[in-house]
Amino acid sequence: MAERRKGNAGKNPGKGAAEAAPVPGRLAVRKTYKLYLGGAFPRSESGRSYPVTSAKGDHLANASLASRKDAREAVVAARKAFGGWSTRTAYNRGQILYRVAEVLEGRREQFTAQAVAAQGLSRGAAERVVSAAVDRWVYYAGWTDKVAQVLGGANPVSGPYYNHSAPEPTGVVAVFAPQNAPLLGLTSVVAPVIATGNTAVVVTSEHAPLAAVDLAEVLATSDLPGGVVNLLTGRAGELGPHLAAHADVNALDLTGAGDLATEFERTAATTLTRVVRPGPESGAGEDAWLDADPGTSRMTPFLETKTVWHPIGV
Amino acid sequence: MIFEYAPAPESRSVVTLRETYDLFVDGGFAPAEGGEYLTTLNPADETKLAQVAVAGEADVDRAVTAARRAYDTVWSRMSGAERGKYLFRIARIIQERSRELAVLESMDNGKPIKETRDVDLPLVAAHFFYYAGWADKLRHAGLGPDPRPLGVAAQVIPWNFPLLMLAWKVAPALATGNTVVLKPAETTPLTALVFAEICQEADLPPGVVNILTGAGPTGRALVEHPGTDKVAFTGSTEVGRSIARSVAGTDKRLTLELGGKGANIVYDDAAIDQAVEGIVSGIFFNQGHVCCAGSRLLVQESIAGELLPRLKDRVAKLRLGDPLDKNTDIGAINSAAQLERIRELTDSGAEEGVERWSPPCALPSTGYWFAPTLLTGVSQAHRVAREEIFGPVLSVLTFRTPEEAVAKANNTPYGLSAGVWTEKGSRMLWTAERLRAGVIWSNTFNKFDPTSPFGGYKESGYGREGGRHGLEAYLG
């Protein structure tokens, strides 16, 4: 995909001003797609962007091409947000995730049209994907205040001790979102990370990043604190080595890292960063993510178990 | 009136050492193909205990093949109830032979007999009992309706708790239907080889447990063997990193239990005498050869002047010497190499300007010994506050506010354990909630139990051992 610093001006040369063009009734306001960093929508600090095309190859928009510095900023934003997000009550996190579902539901039409245009899905398939994405947020909204009960509990040690284990978020998670499932796949990997109290730096699908930026607008208007999710549109190959080696990243989800996954895993070993390897659904399309009950397997890798002991006595 | 302790040595007669020990592969003992042996010493007096075979690549291959065959033909097909019964048998035999194992462990490792007898061995048996009961209940473990074993597990364990680490690894692996190839540390292989005999005595099917002795290269060959499905390692963070690198891009599952630099926070309202006992057991238990040791003492400044003299008084009463003496508190450092590392790091503290204190303490003339040591005036920048010493050396820092205590405690790439001492429950919970560590001991320290998950945050590794959580590492 071509990297470019300017828009593709001059597409229709030769049309003189003198030629009487029909006066348009209304000029559409096109959208500028930006990054989502720390709750704001900046352009890449590098000033770079890249063209995004539809499944048929038509130009759709220019997306920001995130740089390593953007990735660094994203990690800083995610770390800053972690303290507040991880210590919110699980009930409150659930409310906010459910709010994401509500806002997304309200924008079903936009996301459906987008999926049709960008991915070439049929209208019916696009609706199915968007519905599943809404439902996925609801699914994880309901997990926030249950995961500790399911995964933690009292340990019957032999001795006069209170002994209790509970899961805790691991910290900042760098997520390589699926390449071919830009909305439902993205939702399926991001929602479990934040449902459990982690914060996320997400490298979105390189060739289909627009759904991610649209989703960022949903997140930004859903009471999700800035920095909890940071979305970088760009290249896993460029941003990945940096995120994998970053000492302030606690876990990597390599689902969308493709051929680079092994290299990133090897890099991550230096800081013993937790790693989720690409699974069977990694390269597949949105359909691979339709299962309405994905279980806990995307939450547990980003949780640590903390065990507290205290003597019992009078 | 103060009574001096009379010598109270435990008898060695319960242990029959063989001249040489071979590898345990496919249910029988066989020499290594390379014919090489290493010598394991008694670190308390540097006498030779026995020769053990050094497994090479061919031996690793043989053991993995045996484990695979046992997995395919017997162990994964057996009902959980039957598998569990084997583990119960093993637990019982360990109890029956616990005195022999405790003495042998003290001889090979240098740790005091009172610890092997009262801590290590009871816990070893308890682990097999605990996981035995899981074997037929895996569907109820909360890990999905149909949890499946992974296959052949490669397990590499350290020298600080040789038999206990074996139990932590082998018991959950077998309960979940996996077969194992285990490599004990080169300085402490003997109790693992007695465990091999116990497997025979329990009529465990051949190949379910295989024990390969050797040093680093043997361990590397084992974890890198393509025929294994799971790697479990306990040891240094440095080796953990290289293992994580070597399994990258494979299908092998990995759990790591690595180093630590545990903070032991003492608030001004703590029960001081209890705290002093906890500080002592936090750092001097097992000569400080404990990855979860409370090696950084964080004392609230207002009570440092009261606590430190009491701590020194208590440390001065520790008895260092013959590990087989039942009154010994501190035994020998496990090896010359480890002694050298402790010396080097402690000296670096002195060079960087920390104050060093040890009680008057006569060290035996042979063997590897290091007097219990307190380092005060330590700042967070000092090496002794950052690097794991893995010896009886405590670094003392102070703090003023709870926020500062938490910030200092968390200021480390490690995150295995921490301690909190306060009489106020809400303060204890507030602190425990903020500490980034896998195990928090409040008003106690260095407690272990098979039902209690153990493992670290950050560079202390990933995964948990013990409890229901410990099953997850062995199920797919």
Side-chain angles (χ1 to χ4, degrees):
Chain A
M1 200 170 290
E3 176 182 330
R4 196 191 49 223
R5 286 169 190 275
K6 292 175 183 171
N8 55 349
K11 203 174 179 183
N12 301 312
K15 280 203 170 180
E19 263 178 74
V23 178
R26 180 180 172 277
L27 189 64
V29 177
R30 284 192 184 155
K31 181 165 160 185
T32 300
Y33 287 83
K34 300 193 210 168
L35 306 175
Y36 182 48
L37 264 183
F41 291 88
R43 290 192 164 87
S44 167
E45 62 79 33
S46 64
R48 301 178 305 175
S49 65
Y50 70 105
V52 179
T53 55
S54 72
K56 286 188 222 148
D58 300 330
H59 179 81
L60 287 176
N62 297 312
S64 280
L65 184 63
S67 67
R68 287 176 160 225
K69 185 155 188 293
D70 295 320
R72 270 205 300 280
E73 300 290 346
V75 174
V76 170
R79 174 60 59 196
K80 198 171 158 202
F82 178 69
W85 183 242
S86 59
T87 54
R88 279 184 189 237
T89 64
Y91 177 50
N92 182 246
R93 280 203 304 271
Q95 294 273 300
I96 291 173
L97 261 66
Y98 186 75
R99 180 77 182 138
V100 173
E102 286 179 339
V103 177
L104 188 56
E105 178 84 22
R107 296 203 193 186
R108 281 175 55 85
E109 184 49 42
Q110 175 198 350
F111 279 89
T112 304
Q114 219 259 29
V116 170
Q119 297 181 59
L121 298 180
S122 71
R123 172 114 199 137
E127 280 174 355
R128 197 163 68 239
V129 165
V130 176
S131 300
V134 175
D135 294 353
R136 187 74 17 109
W137 286 102
V138 176
Y139 176 81
Y140 284 111
W143 259 122
T144 58
D145 53 3
K146 293 162 195 75
V147 72
Q149 288 178 315
V150 170
L151 301 180
N155 306 306
V157 297
S158 46
Y161 293 94
Y162 158 91
N163 182 299
H164 184 260
S165 292
E168 287 190 349
T170 192
V172 173
V173 181
V175 178
F176 295 86
Q179 292 296 324
N180 302 319
L183 177 64
L184 179 57
L186 173 73
T187 297
S188 303
V189 294
V190 172
V193 168
I194 64 170
T196 42
N198 298 285
T199 57
V201 173
V202 186
V203 180
T204 65
S205 167
E206 183 180 333
H207 68 89
L210 303 188
V213 187
D214 287 339
L215 184 68
E217 293 173 359
V218 170
L219 300 176
T221 51
S222 302
D223 298 326
L224 191 73
V228 172
V229 174
N230 304 277
L231 295 166
L232 301 169
T233 50
R235 297 179 182 140
E238 183 182 353
L239 306 173
H242 200 64
L243 289 170
H246 202 303
D248 209 24
V249 167
N250 299 86
L252 295 179
D253 182 341
L254 298 175
T255 299
D259 297 341
L260 299 165
T262 299
E263 180 197 322
F264 293 170
E265 184 179 351
R266 206 170 282 137
T267 303
T270 304
T271 45
L272 293 158
T273 303
R274 280 75 176 128
V275 165
V276 173
R277 294 177 182 142
E281 73 281 55
S282 294
E286 303 273 34
D287 282 355
W289 299 88
L290 280 171
D291 182 359
D293 179 7
T296 58
S297 64
R298 289 209 161 261
M299 293 189 286
T300 50
F302 310 117
L303 291 169
E304 302 287 349
T305 297
K306 179 187 279 178
T307 300
V308 177
W309 292 66
H310 195 284
I312 295 170
V314 289
Chain B
M1 173 165 182
I2 293 171
F3 293 94
E4 285 301 317
Y5 286 85
E10 174 65 89
S11 168
R12 293 184 178 209
S13 64
V14 287
V15 171
T16 313
L17 281 171
R18 285 191 240 153
E19 186 89 351
T20 60
Y21 288 84
D22 288 324
L23 309 173
F24 182 64
V25 175
D26 209 10
F29 288 91
E33 279 195 17
E36 201 187 325
Y37 288 85
L38 60 79
T39 302
T40 182
L41 299 177
N42 182 338
D45 56 14
E46 297 174 61
T47 54
K48 179 183 152 187
L49 291 175
Q51 299 239 295
V52 295
V54 175
E57 284 184 20
D59 304 303
V60 169
D61 201 52
R62 213 152 42 86
V64 171
T65 305
R68 171 68 55 194
R69 189 169 53 241
Y71 176 78
D72 288 339
T73 59
V74 185
W75 200 244
S76 68
R77 295 175 170 203
M78 192 182 291
S79 75
E82 295 301 303
R83 275 205 316 270
K85 277 154 66 181
Y86 278 107
L87 291 176
F88 280 121
R89 265 193 195 182
I90 290 171
R92 277 293 196 228
I93 299 171
I94 287 168
Q95 290 179 318
E96 288 159 11
R97 295 178 67 169
S98 71
R99 188 163 167 150
E100 170 195 354
L101 287 162
V103 172
L104 182 58
E105 194 82 313
S106 279
M107 288 166 67
D108 204 14
N109 171 281
K111 61 168 74 188
I113 184 73
K114 74 171 188 188
E115 289 180 8
T116 53
R117 181 194 62 197
D118 298 347
V119 180
D120 295 57
L121 262 298
L123 278 171
V124 169
H127 268 87
F128 279 97
F129 260 103
Y130 176 74
Y131 279 110
W134 265 123
D136 57 352
K137 302 168 190 69
L138 297 174
R139 286 176 299 119
H140 305 287
L143 302 168
D146 185 27
R148 315 290 302 169
L150 302 171
V152 177
Q155 307 182 318
V156 177
I157 58 171
W159 46 259
N160 59 339
F161 291 92
L163 195 58
L164 183 58
M165 292 301 105
L166 176 148
W168 282 26
K169 297 273 182 295
V170 172
L174 297 193
T176 46
N178 300 275
T179 56
V180 308
V181 182
L182 176 127
K183 189 200 87 72
E186 70 266 33
T187 60
T188 55
L190 297 181
T191 44
L193 294 162
V194 174
F195 178 77
E197 292 173 9
I198 290 172
C199 291
Q200 288 181 320
E201 196 177 325
D203 288 328
L204 192 72
V208 171
V209 168
N210 305 274
I211 298 199
L212 298 180
T213 45
T218 306
R220 194 173 309 118
L222 176 57
V223 302
E224 291 178 2
H225 194 285
T228 61
D229 303 287
K230 152 88 194 168
V231 174
F233 171 76
T234 295
S236 76
T237 292
E238 211 35 60
V239 176
R241 281 187 234 281
S242 74
I243 292 175
R245 224 169 266 135
S246 77
V247 305
T250 68
D251 291 331
K252 287 184 202 183
R253 294 263 297 267
L254 176 64
T255 42
L256 300 170
E257 295 288 357
L258 307 176
K261 192 73 188 174
N264 209 351
I265 300 171
V266 184
Y267 283 115
D268 57 7
D269 68 338
I272 298 240
D273 288 329
Q274 275 181 37
V276 164
E277 285 305 309
I279 294 162
V280 167
S281 78
I283 186 62
F284 300 121
F285 176 65
N286 204 36
Q287 295 70 247
H289 299 330
V290 185
C291 49
C292 52
S295 53
R296 282 183 302 154
L297 175 62
L298 297 177
V299 193
Q300 195 147 15
E301 200 178 85
S302 53
I303 57 157
E306 185 187 354
L307 183 136
L308 284 175
R310 287 212 227 174
L311 178 61
K312 287 179 178 175
D313 280 353
R314 179 66 183 89
V315 173
K317 293 190 172 62
L318 293 173
R319 292 170 52 87
L320 179 144
D322 181 7
L324 285 179
D325 189 314
K326 285 172 241 172
N327 292 322
T328 291
D329 298 308
I330 297 188
I333 300 301
N334 181 248
S335 65
Q338 185 57 26
L339 180 60
E340 184 48 39
R341 180 170 164 73
I342 297 168
R343 281 190 180 139
E344 193 270 320
L345 265 163
T346 312
D347 290 347
S348 86
E351 282 158 26
E352 289 180 352
V354 311
E355 273 179 64
R356 176 178 180 162
W357 176 88
S358 291
C361 183
L363 300 182
S365 52
T366 57
Y368 315 124
W369 302 91
F370 197 88
T373 300
L374 260 57
L375 304 177
T376 53
V378 176
S379 88
Q380 296 188 82
H382 290 133
R383 277 184 72 198
V384 293
R386 291 184 286 116
E387 293 180 32
E388 187 178 39
I389 300 176
F390 222 67
V393 182
L394 179 67
S395 299
V396 184
L397 298 89
T398 58
F399 68 91
R400 290 183 178 173
T401 62
E403 287 78 10
E404 187 188 344
V406 168
K408 282 186 168 169
N410 287 339
N411 182 22
T412 165
Y414 295 116
L416 189 51
S417 73
V420 185
W421 298 84
T422 169
E423 287 296 273
K424 196 171 173 188
S426 56
R427 177 178 289 172
M428 181 278 277
L429 291 170
W430 181 93
T431 309
E433 203 171 82
R434 280 159 185 76
L435 292 172
R436 302 281 292 160
V439 185
I440 314 286
W441 284 294
S442 309
N443 294 331
T444 184
F445 212 95
N446 268 342
K447 292 286 183 291
F448 305 93
D449 192 276
T451 67
S452 181
F454 180 95
Y457 284 46
K458 300 191 281 184
E459 294 189 14
S460 290
Y462 24 85
R464 293 293 178 271
E465 292 181 289
R468 184 172 61 86
H469 297 76
L471 296 168
E472 193 178 358
Y474 292 95
L475 291 171

